[in-house]
């Protein structure tokens, strides 16, 4: 057994001050600091007054550290996993792109057969494209966009957790109706030109998630509310890329107010340039120019991001009324619940995986612990 002492432990509904957390591969107990002596411990970590929370979960990330999910190799996925633990991420969904079918299948096959032992845990796949609307392709390659095709992905529904698609391209919701039979798969609207009526109907029929809200979708207009209006009128999960570039920081608080703090999920949508230097990179076979703030195609289209998930937490904390516990829930509790894994990860609770992070007031990560083992430590 191990312990973290002198920490402010962030639970889903409250923060325990000056408390200790007892764990091995799973969380064993939470006690006062003076009670630690009652346990036969192998090691003790002094949090020195910093926050201790459940590990962060990124449900939308293409790559980081110079590698991309679509590379389709063990090395690529391993390096992504090792890189993002520095940002407090303990679980994530490798995210695909609209590319040739054989490359998508290669990436899915690679993820299914990979077992990461020294990085963030892969808990499924986010299939973003190729079932999207070319009008809102964003940085996706239009040459490889196709209509929703169940037969193409049916053999991978054991590992797919989220499918981003344009519901208006799904004739009579034939694709949706087949996918809905698989309870582990979340259908998400994204890269879509759906009208308010089309989007609302899709939600009523099974869509319960929205990919990177505001970006690559029909926008909000008082006479044509579009997908954003349908999101505002519903009670479904929604992603937010809180880098202050994809969405202006002045909108953060209103967006969370409208959609409810229990439904907002902070994601990075990071591409391979995440945690790397500025320069020229690649996304979906397209050249991407990366500066200190953003990643863009040559035509200036945003191409994912270089956001780190701990930075997203900081940006929301610094620009809204929401407190640290409420914001941390947006990268722990909410994503775990959205993909049906809250019984295993997403909060500090006895019996759950000991996936933990320690960070200061600026959300600077000092330790990342996965299944009770420390993988990242700032000395």
């Amino acid at each position: 057994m191990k312990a973290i002492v002198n920490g402010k432990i962030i639970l889903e509904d409250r923060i325990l001050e000056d408390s200790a957390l007892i764990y091995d591969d799973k969380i064993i107990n939470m006690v006062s600091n003076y009670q630690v002596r009652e346990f036969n411990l192998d090691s003790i970590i002094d949090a020195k007054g910093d926050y201790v929370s459940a590990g962060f979960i990124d449900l939308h990330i293409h790559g980081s550290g110079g590698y991309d999910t679509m590379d389709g190799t063990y090395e690529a996925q391993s390096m992504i996993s090792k890189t993002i633990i520095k940002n407090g991420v303990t679980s994530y969904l490798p995210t695909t792109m609209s590319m040739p079918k054989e490359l998508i299948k290669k990436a899915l096959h690679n993820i299914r057969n990979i077992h990461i032992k020294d990085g963030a845990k892969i808990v499924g796949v986010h299939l973003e494209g190729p079932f999207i609307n070319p009008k809102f392709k964003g940085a996706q390659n239009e040459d490889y966009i196709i209509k929703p095709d169940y037969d193409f992905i049916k053999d991978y529904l054991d590992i797919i957790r989220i499918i981003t698609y344009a519901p208006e391209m799904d004739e009579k919701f034939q694709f949706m109706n087949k996918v809905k039979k698989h309870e582990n798969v979340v259908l998400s609207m994204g890269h879509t030109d759906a009208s308010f009526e089309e989007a609302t109907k899709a939600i009523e029929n099974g869509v319960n998630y929205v990919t990177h809200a505001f970006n690559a979708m029909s926008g909000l207009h008082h006479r044509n509310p579009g997908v954003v209006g349908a999101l505002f009128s519903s009670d479904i999960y929604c992603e937010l890329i809180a880098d202050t570039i994809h969405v202006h920081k002045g909108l953060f608080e209103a967006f969370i107010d409208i959609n409810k703090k229990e439904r907002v999920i902070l994601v990075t949508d990071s591409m391979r340039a995440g945690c790397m230097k500025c320069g020229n990179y690649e996304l979906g076979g397209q050249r991407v120019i990366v500066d200190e703030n953003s990643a863009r195609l040559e035509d200036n289209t945003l191409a994912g991001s270089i956001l780190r998930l701990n930075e997203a937490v900081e940006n929301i904390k610094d620009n809204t009324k929401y407190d640290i516990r409420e914001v941390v829930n947006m990268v722990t509790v909410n994503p775990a619940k959205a993909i049906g894994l809250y019984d295993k990860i997403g909060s500090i609770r006895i019996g759950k995986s000991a996936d933990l992070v320690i960070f200061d007031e600026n959300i600077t990560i000092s330790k990342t612990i996965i299944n009770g083992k420390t993988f990242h430590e700032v000395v």
Side-chain angles (χ1 to χ4, degrees), residues 61-73 76 80 95-100 103 139-141 144 269-274 276-291 294-298 301-306:
I61 174 170
H62 296 278
S64 189
Y67 293 87
D68 189 283
T69 293
M70 292 305 296
D71 294 343
T73 65
I80 293 169
T95 304
T96 61
M97 288 282 291
S98 297
M99 291 186 75
L103 292 183
Q140 306 267 342
N141 193 325
Y144 306 115
D269 197 10
S270 174
M271 46 86 71
R272 70 171 74 244
M276 298 289 286
K277 296 179 180 179
C278 300
N280 295 327
Y281 293 85
E282 174 271 344
L283 180 67
Q286 303 166 102
R287 182 169 176 258
V288 178
I289 303 162
V290 176
D291 60 22
S294 66
R296 297 176 184 269
L297 299 182
E298 292 179 281
T301 299
L302 284 169
S305 85
I306 52 173

Side-chain angles (χ1 to χ4, degrees), residues 12 54-55 57 90-91 328-329 331-337 341-349 352-353 355:
E12 179 177 356
I57 304 167
T90 58
S91 296
V328 165
N329 281 352
V331 293
T332 55
V333 174
N334 297 357
K337 287 183 175 180
L341 292 180
Y342 187 63
D343 60 327
K344 297 180 176 67
I345 59 175
S347 69
I348 294 177
R349 183 178 293 181
K352 286 193 174 186
S353 294
D355 298 345

Side-chain angles (χ1 to χ4, degrees), residues 30-298:
M30 285 158 279
V31 299
S32 60
N33 286 317
Y34 72 85
Q35 289 179 292
V36 169
R37 69 190 71 174
E38 300 172 10
F39 295 85
N40 183 21
L41 299 172
D42 298 315
S43 63
I44 297 176
I45 296 171
D46 188 348
K48 299 178 180 178
D50 282 349
Y51 292 104
V52 181
S53 88
F56 299 168
I57 304 167
D58 195 344
L59 298 187
H60 189 154
I61 174 170
H62 296 278
S64 189
Y67 293 87
D68 189 283
T69 293
M70 292 305 296
D71 294 343
T73 65
Y74 175 88
E75 179 188 18
Q77 213 60 64
S78 176
M79 288 305 298
I80 293 169
S81 295
K82 291 177 182 177
T83 300
I84 61 179
I85 58 174
K86 300 172 186 176
N87 311 327
V89 178
T90 58
S91 296
Y92 73 109
L93 296 184
T95 304
T96 61
M97 288 282 291
S98 297
M99 291 186 75
K101 284 185 176 182
E102 61 270 19
L103 292 183
I104 295 175
K105 287 186 175 182
K106 178 185 176 185
L108 294 173
H109 181 78
N110 179 59
I111 294 165
R112 173 187 277 156
N113 291 285
I114 197 170
H115 299 285
I116 304 296
K117 297 181 180 180
D118 52 359
K121 296 187 287 193
I122 295 172
V123 292
V125 176
H126 183 154
L127 189 81
E128 187 186 24
F131 312 137
I132 60 177
N133 192 319
K135 182 176 178 181
F136 282 98
K137 65 182 185 296
Q140 306 267 342
N141 193 325
E142 187 171 352
D143 292 342
Y144 306 115
I145 293 174
I146 60 176
K147 289 188 176 181
D149 181 357
Y150 178 80
D151 288 337
F152 172 46
I153 51 97
K154 66 180 181 181
D155 292 337
Y156 299 96
L157 291 172
D158 59 319
I159 59 168
I160 294 174
R161 287 282 180 177
I162 298 176
I163 298 176
T164 291
Y165 94 129
E168 73 275 16
M169 309 297 284
D170 183 10
E171 187 175 352
K172 297 180 180 179
F173 294 148
Q174 295 178 56
F175 177 82
M176 181 193 296
N177 291 332
K178 291 178 180 178
V179 171
K180 278 196 307 184
K181 296 176 182 178
H182 302 267
E183 294 183 356
N184 62 303
V185 182
V186 174
L187 277 167
S188 178
M189 280 190 291
H191 293 274
T192 170
D193 190 34
S195 65
F196 175 84
E197 291 74 20
E198 288 172 325
T200 300
K201 188 174 181 181
I203 292 170
E204 291 171 348
N205 281 273
V207 164
N208 55 2
Y209 191 100
V210 168
T211 299
H212 44 51
F214 296 108
N215 297 108
M217 62 185 59
S218 50
L220 181 68
H221 187 278
H222 60 288
R223 296 193 190 96
N224 184 17
V227 172
V228 175
L231 170 60
F232 285 177
S233 304
S234 67
D235 186 28
I236 63 176
Y237 289 104
C238 55
E239 295 178 354
L240 180 67
I241 306 173
D243 60 356
T244 73
I245 298 166
H246 282 77
V247 178
H248 192 283
K249 64 182 180 181
L251 196 57
F252 289 168
E253 187 169 311
F255 176 76
I256 297 169
D257 286 347
I258 293 169
N259 285 284
K260 300 178 184 177
K261 61 187 179 184
E262 296 82 10
R263 290 290 182 264
V264 174
I265 296 171
L266 305 182
V267 299
T268 62
D269 197 10
S270 174
M271 46 86 71
R272 70 171 74 244
C275 300
M276 298 289 286
K277 296 179 180 179
C278 300
N280 295 327
Y281 293 85
E282 174 271 344
L283 180 67
Q286 303 166 102
R287 182 169 176 258
V288 178
I289 303 162
V290 176
D291 60 22
E292 291 84 356
N293 301 309
S294 66
R296 297 176 184 269
L297 299 182
E298 292 179 281

Side-chain angles (χ1 to χ4, degrees), residues 46 48 364-368 374 376-379:
D46 188 348
K48 299 178 180 178
T364 301
I365 309 297
S366 59
K367 278 186 176 58
T368 303
T374 300
H376 169 65
E377 182 173 17
V378 176
V379 180

